[in-house]
Amino acid sequence: MTTGSAAAPIGDTDLAIGVDIGGTKVAAGVVDAQGTVLASTRRPTPSHDPAEVAEVVVELVAELRQSFEIRAVGVGAAGWIDRDRSTVLFAPNLAWRDEPLRQVLADRVGLPVVVENDANAMAWAEYRFGAGRGHSDLVCVTVGTGIGGGIVLNGLLHRGAFGIGAEMGHMQMVPGGHECGCGNAGCWEQYASGRAVVRAAREIAAESPEAALRMLGGRQAADLTGPDVTAAAQQGDPAALACLEQVGHWLGQGLANLAAVLDPSRFVVGGGVSDAGELLVSPARTRFRSVLSGRGHRPEADVVVATLGSAAGIVGAADLARS
Ligand SMILES: [Zn+2]
């Protein structure tokens, strides 16, 4: 079902559709040149069949075009997209392997289509319309189950030579550390993501169950989720606060590493775990400032929470399609 304005601004060619393909749902929205979502719609992601996923995208675009004249379609997907923004090289959760998604969709919808990594799309949205506005050297870190990221350098989205840049969650932070789904061990996302929040909480529950009573709230430790920990921390639970502080510490460590290389003026922290807000970002900032190379003798990037929320993927993909 489409939600939002039913007005049809016929002749307005500044409108683009952004599509966010996630592991559980495909969301699409009509976005204007100011980054405002005028209407949106969504469906569950159908199985892991690439052809069915493409079909859902085509249907959502057709649904939105009933009410709006559209100039282009931008698609954000969790995967490695080639530099030409056309082929999904690899998408771990969607079974795409060298899928020519841009051509498949463009042939079906009859509009220009670009395909972009979802974290890049979110970073672009925060740069253009959100917490990163005005910062032409910006790093956006999406802290969800894992860590995604996007980098804006000199006002341009940095894709790398092969288009698969900014997979910063897989920087190695702890040699010989926790195994990661990427095949390596000790990756940043094993220490500074939603998965790390849950791991820290379960460790506390195993080591000192009485300290974890409030955070557990009658649940078994194995049933704890990241949002449970965040909710308990927001109520002042010391064990939950300790989990977020530990994860924030690792987040700040990685930001300092990125600052040493990229020297951005701002870091924007988004994704589901950023719902914890300052409870996560404050310890990250503390660690960042304590390990930043050349600290005290250089300007420091600030670290802020993203402002566009879950719409960022749609807004960013649409804007990239228009530009
Ligand atoms: Zn990894």
Side-chain angles (χ1 to χ4, degrees):
M1 191 186 120
T2 306
T3 56
S5 166
I10 299 300
D12 184 348
T13 54
D14 270 350
L15 300 181
I17 289 176
V19 183
D20 187 0
I21 303 176
T24 58
K25 69 175 189 310
V26 182
V30 177
V31 184
D32 70 13
Q34 285 72 48
T36 305
V37 179
L38 302 179
S40 62
T41 183
R42 63 177 56 189
R43 299 268 179 87
T45 305
S47 71
H48 290 163
D49 178 350
E52 287 184 36
V53 175
E55 182 63 31
V56 165
V57 174
V58 170
E59 288 172 9
L60 292 176
V61 169
E63 182 184 330
L64 291 168
R65 286 177 81 186
Q66 288 174 3
S67 307
F68 296 90
E69 187 175 343
I70 299 298
R71 175 170 149 188
V73 177
V75 177
W80 292 359
I81 318 295
D82 73 346
R83 192 180 166 84
D84 294 336
R85 303 193 291 168
S86 62
T87 300
V88 183
L89 302 173
F90 174 67
N93 298 316
L94 293 161
W96 276 326
R97 304 290 182 269
D98 293 319
E99 174 74 13
L101 186 60
R102 177 185 195 158
Q103 199 58 51
V104 168
L105 293 176
D107 289 347
R108 298 284 304 279
V109 304
L111 288 171
V113 173
V114 299
V115 182
E116 186 58 76
N117 172 268
D118 58 347
N120 277 353
M122 290 182 211
W124 186 252
E126 292 290 343
Y127 166 57
R128 290 272 289 140
F129 309 110
R133 210 170 350 181
H135 291 264
S136 56
D137 290 277
L138 174 77
V139 176
C140 187
V141 184
T142 307
V143 186
T145 307
I147 290 181
I151 297 168
V152 175
L153 294 179
N154 202 20
L156 296 172
L157 190 60
H158 179 72
R159 295 191 174 84
F162 307 109
I164 56 180
E167 291 288 345
M168 54 187 72
H170 299 287
M171 295 190 299
Q172 192 184 53
M173 299 292 283
V174 181
H178 295 299
E179 286 186 10
C180 183
C182 73
N184 290 331
C187 294
W188 190 26
E189 73 171 29
Q190 294 302 319
Y191 296 85
S193 64
R195 193 181 294 122
V197 170
V198 170
R199 185 191 292 123
R202 288 177 183 166
E203 282 172 5
I204 289 175
E207 286 164 16
S208 47
E210 67 285 352
L213 277 179
R214 189 161 160 190
M215 184 168 67
L216 285 167
R219 282 175 292 261
Q220 297 296 312
D223 296 330
L224 264 181
T225 67
D228 295 335
V229 179
T230 297
Q234 285 165 339
Q235 291 164 19
D237 177 55
L241 287 166
C243 294
L244 289 178
E245 186 164 341
Q246 181 182 325
V247 169
H249 173 97
W250 282 109
L251 181 60
Q253 178 71 52
L255 298 184
N257 292 357
L258 290 167
V261 179
L262 297 167
D263 190 27
S265 57
R266 173 163 287 186
F267 288 97
V268 173
V269 179
V273 183
S274 71
D275 289 348
E278 285 299 309
L279 299 178
L280 175 77
V281 170
S282 178
R285 228 180 254 130
T286 300
R287 179 65 178 172
F288 173 75
R289 287 179 181 149
S290 70
V291 294
L292 180 66
S293 60
R295 56 193 172 279
H297 304 284
R298 59 176 286 173
E300 292 181 9
D302 58 7
V303 184
V304 303
V305 178
T307 55
L308 295 179
S310 59
I314 288 174
V315 171
D319 199 62
L320 287 163
R322 193 170 22 229
S323 56

Short mmCIF file of all heavy atoms in Angstrom, two decimals, residues 149-214:
data_model
loop_
_atom_site.label_atom_id
_atom_site.label_comp_id
_atom_site.label_asym_id
_atom_site.label_seq_id
_atom_site.Cartn_x
_atom_site.Cartn_y
_atom_site.Cartn_z
N GLY A 149 29.53 1.35 5.85
CA GLY A 149 30.01 2.71 5.87
C GLY A 149 30.05 3.33 4.49
O GLY A 149 30.02 2.62 3.47
N GLY A 150 30.08 4.63 4.49
CA GLY A 150 30.23 5.38 3.25
C GLY A 150 31.13 6.56 3.50
O GLY A 150 31.15 7.12 4.60
N ILE A 151 31.90 6.92 2.49
CA ILE A 151 32.88 7.99 2.61
C ILE A 151 32.62 9.04 1.54
O ILE A 151 32.49 8.71 0.36
CB ILE A 151 34.31 7.43 2.45
CG1 ILE A 151 34.62 6.42 3.57
CG2 ILE A 151 35.34 8.55 2.42
CD1 ILE A 151 35.89 5.62 3.32
N VAL A 152 32.52 10.30 1.97
CA VAL A 152 32.43 11.41 1.03
C VAL A 152 33.75 12.17 1.10
O VAL A 152 34.18 12.57 2.19
CB VAL A 152 31.25 12.34 1.38
CG1 VAL A 152 31.24 13.56 0.47
CG2 VAL A 152 29.93 11.58 1.27
N LEU A 153 34.41 12.31 -0.04
CA LEU A 153 35.68 13.05 -0.10
C LEU A 153 35.53 14.20 -1.08
O LEU A 153 35.13 13.99 -2.23
CB LEU A 153 36.82 12.14 -0.56
CG LEU A 153 37.23 10.99 0.38
CD1 LEU A 153 38.35 10.16 -0.25
CD2 LEU A 153 37.65 11.50 1.74
N ASN A 154 35.83 15.40 -0.61
CA ASN A 154 35.74 16.58 -1.46
C ASN A 154 34.38 16.67 -2.15
O ASN A 154 34.28 17.05 -3.32
CB ASN A 154 36.88 16.57 -2.49
CG ASN A 154 37.16 17.96 -3.01
OD1 ASN A 154 36.80 18.95 -2.39
ND2 ASN A 154 37.77 18.03 -4.19
N GLY A 155 33.34 16.28 -1.43
CA GLY A 155 31.97 16.40 -1.95
C GLY A 155 31.54 15.29 -2.88
O GLY A 155 30.45 15.35 -3.45
N LEU A 156 32.39 14.28 -3.06
CA LEU A 156 32.02 13.16 -3.93
C LEU A 156 32.01 11.86 -3.14
O LEU A 156 32.85 11.64 -2.26
CB LEU A 156 33.03 13.02 -5.08
CG LEU A 156 33.10 14.19 -6.06
CD1 LEU A 156 34.27 13.98 -7.03
CD2 LEU A 156 31.78 14.30 -6.83
N LEU A 157 31.07 10.98 -3.47
CA LEU A 157 31.04 9.67 -2.85
C LEU A 157 32.25 8.87 -3.32
O LEU A 157 32.50 8.74 -4.51
CB LEU A 157 29.74 8.97 -3.26
CG LEU A 157 29.38 7.68 -2.54
CD1 LEU A 157 29.24 7.90 -1.04
CD2 LEU A 157 28.08 7.11 -3.11
N HIS A 158 33.00 8.34 -2.37
CA HIS A 158 34.21 7.58 -2.71
C HIS A 158 33.84 6.12 -2.90
O HIS A 158 33.41 5.45 -1.96
CB HIS A 158 35.25 7.72 -1.61
CG HIS A 158 36.49 6.95 -1.88
ND1 HIS A 158 37.41 7.32 -2.85
CD2 HIS A 158 36.97 5.81 -1.35
CE1 HIS A 158 38.39 6.44 -2.88
NE2 HIS A 158 38.15 5.51 -1.98
N ARG A 159 34.02 5.62 -4.13
CA ARG A 159 33.65 4.24 -4.42
C ARG A 159 34.86 3.31 -4.52
O ARG A 159 34.73 2.11 -4.44
CB ARG A 159 32.85 4.15 -5.72
CG ARG A 159 31.53 4.85 -5.66
CD ARG A 159 30.68 4.51 -6.86
NE ARG A 159 29.37 5.08 -6.68
CZ ARG A 159 29.03 6.32 -6.98
NH1 ARG A 159 29.94 7.12 -7.46
NH2 ARG A 159 27.81 6.74 -6.78
N GLY A 160 36.02 3.87 -4.76
CA GLY A 160 37.21 3.04 -4.96
C GLY A 160 37.36 2.62 -6.41
O GLY A 160 36.47 2.81 -7.24
N ALA A 161 38.50 2.03 -6.73
CA ALA A 161 38.82 1.67 -8.11
C ALA A 161 37.86 0.63 -8.67
O ALA A 161 37.59 0.59 -9.86
CB ALA A 161 40.25 1.14 -8.19
N PHE A 162 37.34 -0.23 -7.80
CA PHE A 162 36.48 -1.32 -8.26
C PHE A 162 35.03 -1.14 -7.80
O PHE A 162 34.19 -2.02 -8.03
CB PHE A 162 37.03 -2.66 -7.76
CG PHE A 162 38.48 -2.87 -8.13
CD1 PHE A 162 39.46 -2.83 -7.17
CD2 PHE A 162 38.84 -3.05 -9.46
CE1 PHE A 162 40.80 -2.98 -7.51
CE2 PHE A 162 40.17 -3.21 -9.80
CZ PHE A 162 41.16 -3.17 -8.83
N GLY A 163 34.77 -0.04 -7.11
CA GLY A 163 33.39 0.25 -6.68
C GLY A 163 33.01 -0.36 -5.36
O GLY A 163 31.89 -0.17 -4.90
N ILE A 164 33.91 -1.06 -4.72
CA ILE A 164 33.52 -1.80 -3.51
C ILE A 164 34.20 -1.25 -2.27
O ILE A 164 34.40 -1.97 -1.29
CB ILE A 164 33.79 -3.31 -3.68
CG1 ILE A 164 35.25 -3.57 -4.04
CG2 ILE A 164 32.88 -3.89 -4.76
CD1 ILE A 164 35.57 -5.04 -4.22
N GLY A 165 34.51 0.05 -2.31
CA GLY A 165 35.19 0.68 -1.18
C GLY A 165 34.29 0.86 0.03
O GLY A 165 33.09 0.64 -0.03
N ALA A 166 34.92 1.26 1.11
CA ALA A 166 34.26 1.67 2.35
C ALA A 166 33.65 0.51 3.14
O ALA A 166 32.76 0.72 3.94
CB ALA A 166 33.20 2.74 2.08
N GLU A 167 34.14 -0.71 2.88
CA GLU A 167 33.69 -1.83 3.74
C GLU A 167 34.50 -1.79 5.04
O GLU A 167 35.25 -2.70 5.38
CB GLU A 167 33.88 -3.17 3.01
CG GLU A 167 32.94 -3.37 1.84
CD GLU A 167 31.50 -3.63 2.27
OE1 GLU A 167 31.27 -3.95 3.46
OE2 GLU A 167 30.59 -3.49 1.43
N MET A 168 34.30 -0.69 5.77
CA MET A 168 35.17 -0.43 6.92
C MET A 168 34.93 -1.38 8.09
O MET A 168 35.77 -1.51 8.96
CB MET A 168 35.00 1.03 7.35
CG MET A 168 33.56 1.41 7.61
SD MET A 168 33.36 3.19 7.91
CE MET A 168 33.63 3.92 6.31
N GLY A 169 33.78 -2.06 8.09
CA GLY A 169 33.51 -3.02 9.17
C GLY A 169 34.49 -4.17 9.20
O GLY A 169 34.58 -4.88 10.19
N HIS A 170 35.22 -4.34 8.09
CA HIS A 170 36.14 -5.47 8.02
C HIS A 170 37.60 -5.04 8.14
O HIS A 170 38.51 -5.81 7.79
CB HIS A 170 35.88 -6.29 6.76
CG HIS A 170 34.49 -6.84 6.75
ND1 HIS A 170 34.10 -7.88 7.56
CD2 HIS A 170 33.37 -6.43 6.12
CE1 HIS A 170 32.80 -8.10 7.41
NE2 HIS A 170 32.34 -7.23 6.53
N MET A 171 37.85 -3.83 8.66
CA MET A 171 39.21 -3.50 9.08
C MET A 171 39.54 -4.42 10.26
O MET A 171 38.73 -4.58 11.17
CB MET A 171 39.28 -2.06 9.61
CG MET A 171 39.01 -1.00 8.61
SD MET A 171 39.42 0.63 9.31
CE MET A 171 38.29 0.72 10.72
N GLN A 172 40.75 -4.96 10.24
CA GLN A 172 41.10 -5.81 11.38
C GLN A 172 41.49 -4.97 12.58
O GLN A 172 42.39 -4.13 12.50
CB GLN A 172 42.25 -6.76 11.02
CG GLN A 172 42.41 -7.83 12.09
CD GLN A 172 43.58 -8.73 11.84
OE1 GLN A 172 44.71 -8.27 11.65
NE2 GLN A 172 43.34 -10.02 11.80
N MET A 173 40.80 -5.19 13.69
CA MET A 173 41.07 -4.43 14.92
C MET A 173 41.80 -5.28 15.94
O MET A 173 42.56 -4.76 16.75
CB MET A 173 39.74 -3.96 15.53
CG MET A 173 38.95 -3.03 14.64
SD MET A 173 39.75 -1.44 14.43
CE MET A 173 39.35 -0.68 16.00
N VAL A 174 41.53 -6.58 15.96
CA VAL A 174 42.09 -7.46 16.99
C VAL A 174 42.66 -8.70 16.30
O VAL A 174 41.91 -9.62 15.96
CB VAL A 174 41.00 -7.88 18.01
CG1 VAL A 174 41.60 -8.79 19.08
CG2 VAL A 174 40.33 -6.67 18.63
N PRO A 175 43.96 -8.72 16.05
CA PRO A 175 44.54 -9.91 15.42
C PRO A 175 44.19 -11.17 16.22
O PRO A 175 44.30 -11.19 17.44
CB PRO A 175 46.05 -9.63 15.48
CG PRO A 175 46.15 -8.14 15.51
CD PRO A 175 44.96 -7.67 16.31
N GLY A 176 43.71 -12.18 15.53
CA GLY A 176 43.33 -13.42 16.21
C GLY A 176 42.04 -13.30 17.01
O GLY A 176 41.73 -14.15 17.84
N GLY A 177 41.27 -12.24 16.76
CA GLY A 177 40.05 -12.01 17.54
C GLY A 177 38.87 -12.84 17.05
O GLY A 177 39.04 -13.87 16.40
N HIS A 178 37.67 -12.34 17.37
CA HIS A 178 36.46 -13.08 17.02
C HIS A 178 36.39 -13.34 15.51
O HIS A 178 36.67 -12.45 14.70
CB HIS A 178 35.21 -12.29 17.43
CG HIS A 178 35.09 -12.13 18.91
ND1 HIS A 178 34.96 -13.18 19.78
CD2 HIS A 178 35.04 -11.00 19.67
CE1 HIS A 178 34.86 -12.73 21.01
NE2 HIS A 178 34.92 -11.40 20.97
N GLU A 179 35.96 -14.54 15.15
CA GLU A 179 35.82 -14.87 13.74
C GLU A 179 34.69 -14.05 13.12
O GLU A 179 33.70 -13.75 13.78
CB GLU A 179 35.51 -16.36 13.57
CG GLU A 179 36.73 -17.22 13.81
CD GLU A 179 36.47 -18.68 13.51
OE1 GLU A 179 35.41 -18.99 12.93
OE2 GLU A 179 37.33 -19.50 13.87
N CYS A 180 34.88 -13.70 11.85
CA CYS A 180 33.90 -12.84 11.16
C CYS A 180 33.35 -13.59 9.95
O CYS A 180 34.01 -14.45 9.37
CB CYS A 180 34.59 -11.55 10.72
SG CYS A 180 33.50 -10.37 9.93
N GLY A 181 32.13 -13.23 9.57
CA GLY A 181 31.49 -13.87 8.42
C GLY A 181 32.24 -13.65 7.12
O GLY A 181 32.02 -14.36 6.14
N CYS A 182 33.16 -12.68 7.10
CA CYS A 182 33.91 -12.40 5.87
C CYS A 182 35.04 -13.38 5.65
O CYS A 182 35.68 -13.36 4.60
CB CYS A 182 34.46 -10.97 5.90
SG CYS A 182 35.84 -10.76 7.04
N GLY A 183 35.30 -14.23 6.65
CA GLY A 183 36.38 -15.20 6.49
C GLY A 183 37.63 -14.85 7.29
O GLY A 183 38.51 -15.68 7.47
N ASN A 184 37.71 -13.59 7.76
CA ASN A 184 38.84 -13.19 8.60
C ASN A 184 38.43 -13.22 10.07
O ASN A 184 37.31 -13.61 10.41
CB ASN A 184 39.32 -11.79 8.20
CG ASN A 184 40.00 -11.80 6.84
OD1 ASN A 184 40.59 -12.81 6.45
ND2 ASN A 184 39.91 -10.70 6.13
N ALA A 185 39.32 -12.78 10.91
CA ALA A 185 39.03 -12.74 12.34
C ALA A 185 39.44 -11.37 12.90
O ALA A 185 40.37 -10.75 12.41
CB ALA A 185 39.78 -13.84 13.08
N GLY A 186 38.71 -10.91 13.93
CA GLY A 186 39.07 -9.67 14.60
C GLY A 186 38.61 -8.42 13.90
O GLY A 186 39.10 -7.31 14.18
N CYS A 187 37.63 -8.54 12.98
CA CYS A 187 37.15 -7.36 12.24
C CYS A 187 36.44 -6.38 13.18
O CYS A 187 35.86 -6.76 14.18
CB CYS A 187 36.18 -7.79 11.15
SG CYS A 187 36.92 -8.77 9.85
N TRP A 188 36.48 -5.11 12.78
CA TRP A 188 35.87 -4.04 13.58
C TRP A 188 34.43 -4.36 13.93
O TRP A 188 33.98 -4.14 15.05
CB TRP A 188 35.97 -2.73 12.79
CG TRP A 188 35.62 -1.48 13.55
CD1 TRP A 188 35.70 -1.28 14.90
CD2 TRP A 188 35.16 -0.24 12.99
NE1 TRP A 188 35.34 0.00 15.21
CE2 TRP A 188 35.00 0.65 14.06
CE3 TRP A 188 34.88 0.19 11.68
CZ2 TRP A 188 34.56 1.97 13.87
CZ3 TRP A 188 34.46 1.49 11.49
CH2 TRP A 188 34.29 2.37 12.56
N GLU A 189 33.67 -4.91 12.97
CA GLU A 189 32.24 -5.12 13.22
C GLU A 189 32.00 -6.22 14.25
O GLU A 189 30.91 -6.34 14.78
CB GLU A 189 31.46 -5.38 11.93
CG GLU A 189 31.68 -6.73 11.30
CD GLU A 189 30.67 -6.96 10.15
OE1 GLU A 189 30.22 -5.98 9.53
OE2 GLU A 189 30.33 -8.13 9.91
N GLN A 190 33.03 -7.01 14.54
CA GLN A 190 32.88 -7.99 15.62
C GLN A 190 32.95 -7.34 16.99
O GLN A 190 32.60 -7.95 18.00
CB GLN A 190 33.95 -9.08 15.49
CG GLN A 190 33.80 -9.93 14.24
CD GLN A 190 32.45 -10.62 14.17
OE1 GLN A 190 31.95 -11.11 15.18
NE2 GLN A 190 31.82 -10.62 13.01
N TYR A 191 33.37 -6.08 17.06
CA TYR A 191 33.60 -5.41 18.33
C TYR A 191 32.75 -4.15 18.51
O TYR A 191 32.61 -3.66 19.64
CB TYR A 191 35.09 -5.05 18.47
CG TYR A 191 35.92 -6.31 18.53
CD1 TYR A 191 36.34 -6.94 17.36
CD2 TYR A 191 36.21 -6.91 19.74
CE1 TYR A 191 37.04 -8.13 17.40
CE2 TYR A 191 36.91 -8.10 19.80
CZ TYR A 191 37.32 -8.71 18.62
OH TYR A 191 37.99 -9.89 18.67
N ALA A 192 32.21 -3.63 17.43
CA ALA A 192 31.52 -2.33 17.54
C ALA A 192 30.19 -2.33 16.80
O ALA A 192 29.83 -1.34 16.17
CB ALA A 192 32.43 -1.22 17.01
N SER A 193 29.44 -3.43 16.88
CA SER A 193 28.16 -3.51 16.17
C SER A 193 27.07 -4.01 17.11
O SER A 193 27.32 -4.29 18.28
CB SER A 193 28.31 -4.52 15.02
OG SER A 193 28.55 -5.81 15.55
N GLY A 194 25.87 -4.18 16.58
CA GLY A 194 24.79 -4.75 17.37
C GLY A 194 25.14 -6.15 17.86
O GLY A 194 24.79 -6.54 18.98
N ARG A 195 25.83 -6.89 17.01
CA ARG A 195 26.25 -8.24 17.40
C ARG A 195 27.18 -8.17 18.62
O ARG A 195 27.10 -8.99 19.53
CB ARG A 195 26.97 -8.89 16.22
CG ARG A 195 27.19 -10.39 16.36
CD ARG A 195 27.91 -10.94 15.15
NE ARG A 195 27.13 -10.86 13.93
CZ ARG A 195 27.50 -10.22 12.83
NH1 ARG A 195 28.65 -9.58 12.80
NH2 ARG A 195 26.74 -10.20 11.77
N ALA A 196 28.04 -7.16 18.64
CA ALA A 196 28.97 -7.00 19.76
C ALA A 196 28.24 -6.59 21.04
O ALA A 196 28.61 -7.02 22.13
CB ALA A 196 30.04 -5.97 19.40
N VAL A 197 27.19 -5.76 20.90
CA VAL A 197 26.38 -5.38 22.07
C VAL A 197 25.80 -6.63 22.70
O VAL A 197 25.86 -6.83 23.93
CB VAL A 197 25.26 -4.40 21.67
CG1 VAL A 197 24.28 -4.20 22.82
CG2 VAL A 197 25.83 -3.06 21.21
N VAL A 198 25.23 -7.49 21.86
CA VAL A 198 24.60 -8.71 22.37
C VAL A 198 25.64 -9.65 22.99
O VAL A 198 25.41 -10.24 24.05
CB VAL A 198 23.82 -9.42 21.24
CG1 VAL A 198 23.35 -10.80 21.67
CG2 VAL A 198 22.63 -8.56 20.81
N ARG A 199 26.78 -9.75 22.34
CA ARG A 199 27.82 -10.62 22.89
C ARG A 199 28.26 -10.13 24.27
O ARG A 199 28.40 -10.91 25.22
CB ARG A 199 29.03 -10.71 21.96
CG ARG A 199 30.07 -11.72 22.46
CD ARG A 199 31.40 -11.63 21.71
NE ARG A 199 31.28 -12.05 20.33
CZ ARG A 199 31.59 -11.30 19.29
NH1 ARG A 199 32.02 -10.07 19.48
NH2 ARG A 199 31.46 -11.76 18.07
N ALA A 200 28.46 -8.82 24.40
CA ALA A 200 28.88 -8.25 25.70
C ALA A 200 27.82 -8.51 26.76
O ALA A 200 28.13 -8.86 27.90
CB ALA A 200 29.14 -6.75 25.54
N ALA A 201 26.55 -8.36 26.38
CA ALA A 201 25.46 -8.56 27.34
C ALA A 201 25.41 -10.02 27.80
O ALA A 201 25.21 -10.31 28.99
CB ALA A 201 24.14 -8.15 26.71
N ARG A 202 25.58 -10.93 26.87
CA ARG A 202 25.52 -12.35 27.24
C ARG A 202 26.70 -12.74 28.12
O ARG A 202 26.57 -13.58 29.00
CB ARG A 202 25.46 -13.21 25.97
CG ARG A 202 24.11 -13.10 25.30
CD ARG A 202 24.04 -13.87 23.99
NE ARG A 202 22.73 -13.65 23.37
CZ ARG A 202 22.44 -13.97 22.12
NH1 ARG A 202 23.36 -14.51 21.35
NH2 ARG A 202 21.23 -13.73 21.64
N GLU A 203 27.84 -12.11 27.86
CA GLU A 203 29.01 -12.40 28.71
C GLU A 203 28.77 -11.94 30.14
O GLU A 203 29.07 -12.66 31.09
CB GLU A 203 30.26 -11.73 28.13
CG GLU A 203 30.84 -12.51 26.94
CD GLU A 203 31.97 -11.76 26.22
OE1 GLU A 203 32.36 -10.67 26.70
OE2 GLU A 203 32.41 -12.25 25.17
N ILE A 204 28.19 -10.75 30.28
CA ILE A 204 27.89 -10.27 31.64
C ILE A 204 26.88 -11.19 32.32
O ILE A 204 27.02 -11.54 33.49
CB ILE A 204 27.37 -8.81 31.59
CG1 ILE A 204 28.51 -7.86 31.22
CG2 ILE A 204 26.73 -8.41 32.92
CD1 ILE A 204 28.09 -6.42 31.03
N ALA A 205 25.86 -11.60 31.55
CA ALA A 205 24.82 -12.46 32.13
C ALA A 205 25.39 -13.81 32.55
O ALA A 205 24.96 -14.40 33.55
CB ALA A 205 23.70 -12.67 31.11
N ALA A 206 26.40 -14.30 31.81
CA ALA A 206 27.01 -15.59 32.17
C ALA A 206 27.93 -15.46 33.37
O ALA A 206 27.97 -16.34 34.23
CB ALA A 206 27.78 -16.13 30.96
N GLU A 207 28.65 -14.33 33.43
CA GLU A 207 29.65 -14.17 34.50
C GLU A 207 29.03 -13.72 35.82
O GLU A 207 29.43 -14.18 36.88
CB GLU A 207 30.72 -13.16 34.07
CG GLU A 207 31.68 -13.74 33.04
CD GLU A 207 32.49 -12.66 32.32
OE1 GLU A 207 32.55 -11.52 32.83
OE2 GLU A 207 33.05 -12.97 31.26
N SER A 208 28.08 -12.81 35.76
CA SER A 208 27.46 -12.32 37.00
C SER A 208 25.96 -12.11 36.76
O SER A 208 25.52 -10.99 36.50
CB SER A 208 28.13 -11.03 37.47
OG SER A 208 28.29 -10.13 36.41
N PRO A 209 25.21 -13.22 36.85
CA PRO A 209 23.77 -13.16 36.53
C PRO A 209 23.02 -12.11 37.34
O PRO A 209 22.11 -11.46 36.82
CB PRO A 209 23.29 -14.57 36.87
CG PRO A 209 24.51 -15.43 36.80
CD PRO A 209 25.65 -14.56 37.21
N GLU A 210 23.44 -11.90 38.59
CA GLU A 210 22.70 -10.92 39.43
C GLU A 210 22.84 -9.51 38.87
O GLU A 210 21.91 -8.70 38.93
CB GLU A 210 23.14 -11.01 40.90
CG GLU A 210 24.56 -10.56 41.21
CD GLU A 210 25.64 -11.57 40.78
OE1 GLU A 210 25.31 -12.71 40.36
OE2 GLU A 210 26.81 -11.20 40.86
N ALA A 211 24.02 -9.20 38.29
CA ALA A 211 24.23 -7.87 37.73
C ALA A 211 23.39 -7.67 36.46
O ALA A 211 23.08 -6.54 36.08
CB ALA A 211 25.71 -7.68 37.39
N ALA A 212 23.03 -8.79 35.82
CA ALA A 212 22.31 -8.70 34.55
C ALA A 212 20.80 -8.85 34.70
O ALA A 212 20.08 -8.85 33.70
CB ALA A 212 22.84 -9.75 33.58
N LEU A 213 20.33 -8.96 35.95
CA LEU A 213 18.91 -9.27 36.17
C LEU A 213 17.99 -8.29 35.46
O LEU A 213 17.04 -8.67 34.78
CB LEU A 213 18.60 -9.27 37.68
CG LEU A 213 18.93 -10.57 38.43
CD1 LEU A 213 18.60 -10.42 39.90
CD2 LEU A 213 18.16 -11.74 37.82
N ARG A 214 18.27 -7.00 35.64
CA ARG A 214 17.38 -5.99 35.07
C ARG A 214 17.41 -6.00 33.55
O ARG A 214 16.38 -5.89 32.88
CB ARG A 214 17.82 -4.62 35.61
CG ARG A 214 16.87 -3.52 35.28
CD ARG A 214 17.13 -2.35 36.21
NE ARG A 214 16.59 -1.12 35.67
CZ ARG A 214 16.85 0.06 36.20
NH1 ARG A 214 17.64 0.16 37.26
NH2 ARG A 214 16.33 1.14 35.67
#
